[in-house]
Amino acid sequence: MIKQVLFIQGGGNDGYEADAELAASLQQALGNDYEVIYPEMQTDDAAPDFGWLRQIGREIAKLGDDIILVAHSLGASLLLKYLSENKTAKKTAGVFLIATPFWNGKQEWMQGLKLQPGFAGKLPENSRFFFYQCRDDEEVPFDHLAIYRNNLPGASFREIESGGHQLNNDLHLVAKDIKNL
């Protein structure tokens, strides 16, 4: 049976196009036993979370059990927010978060993106969490990984020397972790 992998894109005006290479890399590395589902997130600038939480919920609802969730950048932070603020009836086998920003500013636009205090205790039980961050990420500061490490000591953290924000569009490391679930 083919396993479904939901991939949530990063943000920005060309986020969907930029991350299409990541999704394709993941599909290639996983092979035919997996199906990478890559929906385009529509941005609603009037919504505090850009309308992505509702869309993420709809996409998760379409999947079968033992779901595998992968997300990049803004999408990774909003997937984590969604999972910590919403209950899903589906068992989550693994959550793979790439270049995940930790929103902690006071700017108005950022408030709908921030995780709630105690978010780690509200995540799905018995789910494995993996974080990936390149030291030379030009978009998300590398020290954001340490914030997640402090909040989620049971998660796995992959520190990558180089590859920038897009991990050189090569997700073989993520695919390896998915296959080892």
Side-chain angles (χ1 to χ4, degrees), residues 12 15 17 23 32 50 57 63 78 94 100 107 140 157 163-164 181:
E17 291 81 16
N32 294 331
F50 304 119
L63 303 173
L78 289 175
T100 311
Q107 297 95 331
V140 176
F157 294 87
L181 281 177

Side-chain angles (χ1 to χ4, degrees), residues 16-67:
Y16 183 75
E17 291 81 16
D19 284 358
E21 289 185 58
L22 287 175
S25 167
L26 183 61
Q27 180 66 70
Q28 182 178 8
L30 287 172
N32 294 331
D33 292 336
Y34 295 83
E35 175 192 10
V36 175
I37 300 162
Y38 184 52
E40 184 172 3
M41 296 284 108
Q42 301 298 315
T43 299
D44 176 359
D45 290 327
D49 61 9
F50 304 119
W52 284 29
L53 294 184
R54 184 177 65 253
Q55 291 176 71
I56 289 169
R58 281 196 308 258
E59 294 300 330
I60 288 173
K62 295 176 187 177
L63 303 173
D65 263 340
D66 288 328
I67 57 178

